[in-house]
Amino acid sequence: MARAVSTRRKLIVTLLAWTIGIAIFFPILWTVLTSFKTEAEAIASPPSLFFFDWTTENYAAVQSRSNYGLHFSNSVIISLGSTLLGLLIAIPAAWSMAFVPGKWTKDILMWMLSTKMLPPVGVLIPIYLMFRDTGLLDSRLGLVIVLTLINLPIIVWMLYTYFKEIPVDILEAARMDGAALWSEIIYVLTPMAVPGIASTLLLNVILAWNEAFWTLNLTAAKAAPLTAFIASYSSPEGLFYAKLSAASTMAIAPILILGWFSQKQLVRGLTFGAVK
């Protein structure tokens, strides 16, 4: 029998959850509100939260100064491209580690995860030189490749966790029915792991969308995504807080909308296999 939860405890947990949620969301709210202020109001002390002269001049200035459409399309292509390429590589890799484990499988998984602990600046120079010599600097293809390699350990680990929850008997039954290796992966394994694959895809799209270090160092103008679009409003002339907030709002709006509409799928995938 489930243990009864007192009303007082429910109230405390609810208040704590709301406090944490507001604390996490407040910087986003502040950025959005600042985007509707003038530059003078944006740096005013004490700051005003809601009671100020609302204006949309910052959005007009951002649109006239920058090509938002180009940066947006670059972000979409780079984030989706790197995620899909990562899935194509990670699904067979995670399948082999989950269902045909070897002596070094756990060591390989730990080694892959350890690469995420390496400071990106430690490999910036060799990657920059390789991109320069191969003509991949300031190109979408170059960013797709580097972001795929960066996020691949996370994709493999997540898919490996999901695949481990799938009964091996189902795959063995498919083999007894004559399914070849790729048919087993494509027609049996992948449909069963759709929630896990979907959550992995969503999470890695978000990670690629928010990547700033590599996009700022490997792009200039043609392939610059929205992270570079935001950074362009921090210049030697000073920080234009209102315009920077408007650019940030325009950059985070698509991913916030995606996260809002896909939250159920994301939660379902992250808890996939947690409850038997």
Side-chain angles (χ1 to χ4, degrees):
M1 182 180 294
R3 185 174 59 182
V5 180
S6 65
T7 304
R8 181 181 178 183
R9 185 175 181 181
K10 287 182 180 179
L11 180 61
I12 293 174
V13 172
T14 302
L15 290 175
L16 181 62
W18 273 101
T19 302
I20 295 173
I22 292 172
I24 293 173
F25 180 72
F26 185 76
I28 299 175
L29 175 63
W30 185 266
T31 299
V32 174
L33 292 175
T34 304
S35 69
F36 291 100
K37 298 179 180 180
T38 63
E39 291 293 344
E41 291 174 327
I43 61 174
S45 182
S48 57
L49 189 59
F50 295 106
F51 303 103
F52 56 87
D53 295 328
W54 292 64
T55 178
T56 58
E57 65 180 14
N58 298 309
Y59 290 93
V62 168
Q63 288 280 26
S64 62
R65 172 180 166 178
S66 306
N67 188 348
Y68 174 79
L70 174 63
H71 295 294
F72 174 78
S73 62
N74 286 340
S75 287
V76 171
I77 293 171
I78 292 167
S79 57
L80 287 179
S82 62
T83 301
L84 293 176
L85 180 59
L87 286 175
L88 289 176
I89 299 172
I91 288 176
W95 172 88
S96 64
M97 293 179 182
F99 300 111
V100 194
K103 180 180 178 182
W104 305 104
T105 295
K106 291 184 178 180
D107 294 329
I108 293 173
L109 284 168
M110 289 305 301
W111 170 76
M112 293 181 66
L113 191 61
S114 69
T115 61
K116 295 295 295 179
M117 305 175 191
L118 176 70
V121 70
V123 292
L124 173 61
I125 293 178
I127 289 181
Y128 183 90
L129 294 177
M130 285 190 291
F131 273 46
R132 183 198 64 183
D133 296 340
T134 56
L136 291 175
L137 277 179
D138 198 19
S139 69
R140 294 170 175 173
L141 177 60
L143 283 180
V144 166
I145 293 173
V146 74
L147 292 185
T148 298
L149 297 176
I150 289 171
N151 293 327
L152 191 60
I154 296 177
I155 302 176
V156 172
W157 260 93
M158 291 184 68
L159 292 179
Y160 170 78
T161 303
Y162 300 138
F163 289 172
K164 288 289 287 184
E165 299 296 332
I166 296 176
V168 182
D169 296 342
I170 297 177
L171 300 182
E172 291 178 349
R175 294 168 194 165
M176 292 179 64
D177 289 338
L181 174 61
W182 285 106
S183 298
E184 175 186 331
I185 295 175
I186 296 173
Y187 298 110
V188 180
L189 178 66
T190 303
M192 295 182 63
V194 164
I197 293 174
S199 64
T200 302
L201 186 147
L202 291 171
L203 180 60
N204 282 273
V205 165
I206 294 171
L207 291 175
W209 189 279
N210 293 331
E211 176 61 42
F213 179 82
W214 294 108
T215 56
L216 293 176
N217 285 285
L218 298 179
T219 63
K222 294 186 295 182
L226 287 171
T227 46
F229 167 71
I230 297 173
S232 66
Y233 288 88
S234 175
S235 65
E237 300 173 3
L239 288 174
F240 300 93
Y241 289 105
K243 294 179 179 60
L244 182 61
S245 297
S248 300
T249 301
M250 295 171 68
I252 66 177
I255 208 69
L256 284 178
I257 294 172
L258 174 65
W260 177 265
F261 285 104
S262 60
Q263 57 182 321
K264 291 184 178 179
Q265 184 65 38
L266 186 59
V267 171
R268 181 188 175 195
L270 291 175
T271 56
F272 182 68
V275 181
K276 293 291 185 181

